[in-house]
Amino acid sequence: MKDQFDLDDLFEQSKSEATPAPVVPAKPVVATGDDRFAGSADHVAWTPPQGKKGMGCLLPFALVTVSLAVGFALGMLFASCRGADGDTVDPDVDPVDGAYVAIFYNDTDLDRYTPSQREFLNSVNTANYLEERGVNWKKIDTQPLDISKLETPFQVMAEKHRSKEPWIVFASGRKFASEPIDSNDQAMKLLQKWIK
Amino acid sequence: MAVLNTPIGRMNIYDDSNSGELITFADRNGFKRSAQPRDYGKHPFGSMPFNAVTIPKIDRATLPERIKDAHAKKTFSLYHHIARKVPILNQRSTNYCWANGPCGALMNARARHGLPTIKLSSASFAAPGKRYQNVGGWGGEAIGYMAQFGCAPDSLWPNHEINRKYYDSTREVSQHFNIGEWYELNPRDFNDICWALLNGWEVSIGLPWWSHLVFLNALYWERGALFANVVNSWGEDWESGGMVVMAEEKFVPGAQGEAIAISTIKMDGWQHDLKRIAHWSEGLAV
């Protein structure tokens, strides 16, 4: 797929004026959406706090509401990437063509990364795994990075909080995951889990 | 001639004993070697943008193991060049070797960042930079022009065409293809060049003895000596698919040469700070 150069590809980039979200410490999240929409599933990893008695019925309600709202918003974003124009969403059709992987790193920090992290970032084995499965992937240097000018799927991925780098984000129409890259083995296992 | 087993097969080694053949071959076949020495009086070392990276000293005794490890893990940029079938440029009768080197390195860097393999044109930035004159230049100058003019696909501006007629129609598309960040390396010894290559980057080198500019994308350690994988711009029919192996005494440019590491590529809409470039490139013919 990527061996073919199509000029049109260059001019389909979004003109979004989204501004980057502030980077704050965040825990890794692994999220799955519902059957029809991609979802953040911040709610899946989120553990309800032990709140005050009497709030028990409100918390689940708030949780469900927030989860639906986040899931719907992300689902619409990804659905818009392929220009879906139907009134209904076919649950058997992935709303995004293929999968996306973004690998975030800072090129001036390479010496601070472990050899195993550098292996994942630099090895052609990583690239080959993604290419052979038709994944739309990018290795993105974060200094500097203008999120607003990335292609739409990568914008969403770049806006996810990253508590450190290197960091990997995976997205498809149904799944979204965001985790640090601790080692080559750990990151390859993530890829194998996300991308069959 | 001595040979070395490499990931792309047995390759000829060029060292002090046979490097003259590289000059006679070019002269006999009409390939120009027109890399001009950098004027360090006008552009002192460290004056290029993105020179702030701190380069550690490499213990030479660790090089064999580090190089072996990089080949085992396939982290040298060479492996991306092979896997993504990055084209070898052919400068033909142009004097633009100094632009073909960085342009080839850009294509290689795009491959390791997950971007499509697209043959790019060195003439698309070197020609307007040089006001459409077929003349020599130096590597830092090429990168300055690339930052200003961008780089057009070869399909829209053939690599060897020094012709103004391609300029207007390629302005927009050229902004999508560019080097992102680059770092000046000390050209006097192996340290900085090896550090950059072990990082998985490409290194553009201007070699005064050859009056030529090429780029490197891997290291080898063999029989107790250091070698580099050289990617030339004389087409794919030259030597081993356009590449050779060069011994340390030839690929280290020396004080009068130059070495520039290509770290990242321009990603989507990221724009160069042209004021910064212009400040640095003051005095260039732009």
Side-chain angles (χ1 to χ4, degrees):
Chain A
M1 179 177 73
K2 287 190 165 188
D3 286 336
Q4 298 301 316
F5 172 52
D6 184 351
L7 270 180
D8 289 338
D9 292 345
L10 297 171
F11 303 109
E12 288 178 357
Q13 296 181 12
S14 166
K15 302 297 182 187
S16 167
E17 295 180 353
T19 53
V23 175
V24 298
K27 293 178 180 177
V29 294
V30 177
T32 54
D34 66 23
D35 286 343
R36 292 178 298 170
F37 295 105
S40 156
D42 284 350
H43 60 285
V44 171
W46 185 77
T47 304
Q50 300 302 312
K52 296 175 182 176
K53 289 180 180 177
M55 296 292 284
C57 60
L58 291 178
L59 278 174
F61 176 75
L63 179 59
V64 169
T65 305
V66 169
S67 300
L68 285 174
V70 171
F72 181 77
L74 278 172
M76 291 304 287
L77 262 178
F78 282 107
S80 68
C81 297
R82 76 192 284 254
D85 55 3
D87 292 332
T88 59
V89 177
D90 184 341
D92 296 324
V93 177
D94 196 325
V96 173
D97 286 334
Y100 292 79
V101 167
I103 299 167
F104 297 96
Y105 77 112
N106 183 349
D107 71 317
T108 56
D109 283 343
L110 280 175
D111 276 327
R112 295 181 200 153
Y113 298 161
T114 66
S116 190
Q117 287 174 317
R118 287 202 299 270
E119 178 183 356
F120 183 78
L121 291 172
N122 293 337
S123 177
V124 79
N125 294 335
T126 308
N128 286 346
Y129 187 90
L130 295 166
E131 290 285 337
E132 286 164 5
R133 287 156 182 79
V135 175
N136 192 339
W137 70 281
K138 283 182 181 176
K139 202 169 82 172
I140 300 174
D141 178 35
T142 56
Q143 298 293 335
L145 174 62
D146 185 346
I147 292 176
S148 68
K149 291 179 177 173
L150 289 171
E151 294 167 75
T152 307
F154 289 101
Q155 278 186 25
V156 178
M157 298 159 89
E159 285 166 351
K160 273 288 176 189
H161 292 164
R162 300 182 297 274
S163 58
K164 59 181 180 179
E165 288 169 348
W167 192 274
I168 187 168
V169 181
F170 166 84
S172 75
R174 296 175 186 277
K175 292 178 281 186
F176 197 102
S178 174
E179 296 203 25
I181 296 169
D182 294 327
S183 70
N184 181 64
D185 287 347
Q186 167 257 355
M188 284 305 294
K189 282 177 184 170
L190 289 178
L191 287 186
Q192 287 157 6
K193 174 179 157 189
W194 296 334
I195 304 160
K196 303 298 183 186
Chain B
M1 183 178 295
V3 296
L4 188 69
N5 286 320
T6 75
I8 47 178
R10 289 166 67 82
M11 295 173 70
N12 287 331
I13 297 174
Y14 284 90
D15 55 23
D16 277 339
S17 71
N18 60 359
S19 58
E21 293 178 26
L22 293 171
I23 295 171
T24 53
F25 175 89
D27 293 344
R28 203 167 49 237
N29 292 279
F31 288 112
K32 302 290 178 57
R33 298 169 294 108
S34 307
Q36 293 175 342
R38 172 173 172 173
D39 183 345
Y40 279 99
K42 188 186 287 183
H43 303 289
F45 182 79
S47 62
M48 290 177 69
F50 307 121
N51 62 343
V53 66
T54 302
I55 300 177
K57 286 295 174 196
I58 295 176
D59 179 356
R60 192 177 177 92
T62 66
L63 269 181
E65 193 58 36
R66 294 179 68 169
I67 292 170
K68 182 181 174 185
D69 186 59
H71 280 295
K73 294 174 177 172
K74 298 186 177 181
T75 54
F76 280 126
S77 175
L78 167 66
Y79 288 97
H80 294 270
H81 197 287
I82 298 168
R84 303 282 89 79
K85 297 181 173 59
V86 175
I88 299 288
L89 293 175
N90 192 336
Q91 67 184 89
R92 299 198 193 182
S93 60
T94 70
N95 288 303
Y96 286 176
C97 65
W98 52 277
N100 277 262
C103 188
L106 167 61
M107 291 190 293
N108 200 156
R110 282 175 54 84
R112 63 182 165 81
H113 281 87
L115 296 183
T117 297
I118 297 169
K119 188 175 183 182
L120 299 174
S121 167
S122 60
S124 66
F125 58 89
K130 287 293 192 182
R131 302 189 189 284
Y132 302 92
Q133 295 178 316
N134 185 11
V135 294
W138 53 287
E141 186 180 8
I143 289 174
Y145 293 147
M146 198 189 294
Q148 295 182 44
F149 297 109
C151 189
D154 176 86
S155 57
L156 302 178
W157 188 325
N159 185 57
H160 60 281
E161 289 277 357
I162 303 175
N163 194 323
R164 194 184 199 94
K165 72 178 181 181
Y166 301 106
Y167 183 81
D168 290 339
S169 62
T170 54
R171 284 315 80 213
E172 185 166 359
V173 69
S174 296
Q175 297 310 308
H176 294 271
F177 303 96
N178 217 322
I179 287 170
E181 291 171 296
W182 62 88
Y183 300 104
E184 281 193 87
L185 306 176
N186 182 345
R188 294 168 189 264
D189 64 25
F190 75 96
N191 190 82
D192 292 10
I193 294 171
C194 287
W195 172 80
L197 291 169
L198 287 166
N199 265 348
W201 300 349
E202 300 79 21
V203 177
S204 160
I205 53 166
L207 299 170
W209 66 266
W210 201 5
S211 301
H212 196 41
L213 192 144
V214 291
F215 81 93
L216 313 177
N217 60 4
L219 292 167
Y220 305 108
W221 187 273
E222 188 74 16
R223 298 184 283 270
L226 179 63
F227 302 89
N229 197 81
V230 174
V231 183
N232 200 356
S233 54
W234 293 349
E236 295 182 357
D237 294 334
W238 180 75
E239 289 281 343
S240 301
M243 306 183 207
V244 292
V245 172
M246 200 168 276
E248 181 177 358
E249 67 263 27
K250 305 314 296 185
F251 81 73
V252 172
Q256 300 306 311
E258 58 166 340
I260 300 170
I262 311 304
S263 165
T264 65
I265 46 91
K266 180 178 162 185
M267 188 62 73
D268 298 319
W270 188 81
Q271 295 293 328
H272 280 285
D273 181 347
L274 290 182
K275 284 183 182 174
R276 196 177 178 197
I277 301 293
H279 174 73
W280 160 72
S281 62
E282 188 178 3
L284 298 183
V286 293

